[in-house]
Amino acid sequence: MMKTITLTVFLLLCTTAAAQENVEVPESKKLYLKANAVFLPVGIINAGAEYQLSEKMTIQGDVFISPWKSVLGKYAQMYMLGFDARYYFEGAFNKWYVGANISGAKFIMQKWNYWSDGPYQLTENSPIYVTSDLYQDGFAFALGATVGYQFPISERWNMDIFAGGGFFNSYYKGFHKTLDVRYDEITGWNKSSEWIPYRGGVMFSYKLK
């Protein structure tokens, strides 16, 4: 049911933007290369490119790479590829916009609720583990929306402040860090589906053309 609702919202957003779009196409379409300043200081890469499709529509592709096998003992590897279809109310790359996003991810990490050192026991007959010794290895698909505000800071540079979230569907296997056993006691995939924020930050954009 949630997948159907999210897909419907995604299609309605794209259709609405297209319906409002001025059919006039600019003679010279702009292309920006972008990097997220929020994550760079901690060694996480979030970069991409945004290309103008028409007067008020753009498409953006970006990658999110967190290569850290361990941060303070917590697994934190994530590799995500995403695409935005964006509609700007006052013209491409100018002020407020809304967008529809689709993303895919591969991860080896610990969910935030596994960071404690408390006991973990799946059932009363299961072994007792330390929660922080457990991690998840899997992949995910996300479908959601983005809202943001982009403005020029010089002739070739823009700043893009944005946030987004939606339906995040994960498939993973749960392991113990040192024992190499499944703490979830199954042979297949676990599934987790939730509505969460999963993208955001401050992008600095450089105009190539």
Side-chain angles (χ1 to χ4, degrees):
M1 181 63 180
M2 289 296 187
K3 289 182 179 179
T4 303
I5 294 173
T6 308
L7 182 58
T8 302
V9 172
F10 181 84
L11 292 174
L12 284 174
L13 180 58
C14 292
T15 303
T16 302
Q20 298 179 36
E21 180 63 57
N22 190 323
V23 294
E24 181 181 349
V25 178
E27 292 182 4
S28 178
K29 296 179 181 179
K30 297 175 183 177
L31 172 66
Y32 282 85
L33 296 183
K34 319 178 72 171
N36 198 330
V38 172
F39 298 107
L40 281 176
V42 292
I44 295 175
I45 299 170
N46 182 202
E50 185 175 5
Y51 180 69
Q52 184 176 5
L53 297 175
S54 61
E55 184 182 1
K56 294 184 178 181
M57 289 287 296
T58 69
I59 186 169
Q60 175 172 304
D62 59 80
V63 295
F64 180 94
I65 301 174
S66 175
W68 303 110
K69 293 184 178 180
S70 178
V71 176
L72 299 177
K74 316 301 181 188
Y75 287 13
Q77 291 185 75
M78 176 171 281
Y79 307 91
M80 179 180 289
L81 175 65
F83 295 93
D84 272 357
R86 295 181 171 185
Y87 176 80
Y88 288 80
F89 297 99
E90 297 191 23
F93 311 103
N94 185 28
K95 299 183 179 179
W96 290 104
Y97 64 84
V98 293
N101 174 265
I102 185 168
S103 297
K106 174 71 176 72
F107 59 85
I108 302 176
M109 61 185 301
Q110 285 177 291
K111 299 168 104 178
W112 66 270
N113 52 333
Y114 283 76
W115 291 357
S116 75
D117 291 326
Y120 176 94
Q121 188 176 29
L122 186 64
T123 70
E124 61 180 11
N125 297 318
S126 301
I128 300 175
Y129 300 116
V130 177
T131 303
S132 59
D133 286 337
L134 311 177
Y135 70 95
Q136 295 77 40
D137 184 346
F139 60 95
F141 300 100
L143 190 63
T146 303
V147 62
Y149 187 87
Q150 187 166 176
F151 58 93
I153 55 177
S154 71
E155 183 179 353
R156 284 192 171 271
W157 288 92
N158 280 8
M159 183 179 290
D160 180 8
I161 303 169
F162 70 103
F167 189 66
F168 206 84
N169 202 18
S170 302
Y171 299 86
Y172 63 90
K173 297 177 181 179
F175 293 98
H176 190 282
K177 286 182 180 179
T178 58
L179 300 179
D180 197 28
V181 296
R182 295 283 299 270
Y183 72 80
D184 45 17
E185 300 180 3
I186 62 174
T187 57
W189 295 93
N190 275 304
K191 181 180 178 182
S192 174
S193 300
E194 51 212 344
W195 292 88
I196 59 171
Y198 62 86
R199 55 194 282 107
V202 179
M203 288 271 198
F204 285 94
S205 309
Y206 179 77
K207 183 169 66 175
L208 289 183
K209 67 174 185 176

